[in-house]
Amino acid sequence: QVRLAESGGGSVQAGGSLRLSCAVSGYWPSRHLMGWFRQTPGQEREGVAAIYTGDDDTRYADSVKGRFIISQDAPNNTLYLQMNNLLPEDTAIYYCAARRTYGDTWLAPSLYNYWGQGTQVTVSS
């Protein structure tokens, strides 16, 4: 059983940066897909970034390419999301997730099995 806990959210002005952390306990998913997702009220959860922990291959949503970086620190059981040049439309609750299966559609929330509780990110203009 993988347990996930996000931290690092907060309030920033547009153009600022935040780094989200996801502490992983239970066991480190060494050959799994892990991802960051976000959700705003009334909207479906959307995939932001994903990483295959076996080889650090990554995928990003078009809306965050060039601004966000997903990374892993396996020895410290932590997943990160570095968010730069934040925009007001990045405001959301951010979740980390892990997936037991490997395949296509890395950013599809429905394919992920384990979720954290979320952390709020608010970007003001």
Side-chain angles (χ1 to χ4, degrees), residues 12-84:
V12 295
Q13 291 194 325
S17 298
L18 282 174
R19 188 176 77 161
L20 304 183
S21 299
C22 176
V24 181
S25 58
Y27 68 91
W28 178 255
S30 59
R31 289 186 178 84
H32 283 57
L33 286 171
M34 296 193 71
W36 286 96
F37 299 80
R38 65 188 182 188
Q39 190 170 22
T40 55
Q43 300 296 317
E44 293 188 357
R45 193 167 296 187
E46 64 169 347
V48 172
I51 186 169
Y52 177 59
T53 59
D55 64 6
D56 281 334
D57 194 10
T58 58
R59 300 283 191 275
Y60 295 93
D62 288 344
S63 59
V64 306
K65 277 181 184 175
R67 300 189 298 121
F68 290 12
I69 301 171
I70 186 172
S71 63
Q72 60 168 329
D73 181 357
N76 289 304
N77 289 1
T78 305
L79 182 74
Y80 295 105
L81 184 69
Q82 177 66 43
M83 306 187 295
N84 301 318

Side-chain angles (χ1 to χ4, degrees), residues 2-5 17 31 34 51 69 71 79 85 95 105 112 124:
V2 175
R3 292 177 292 277
L4 309 172
S17 298
R31 289 186 178 84
M34 296 193 71
I51 186 169
I69 301 171
S71 63
L79 182 74
N85 191 21
Y95 301 87
T105 59
Y112 282 73
S124 58

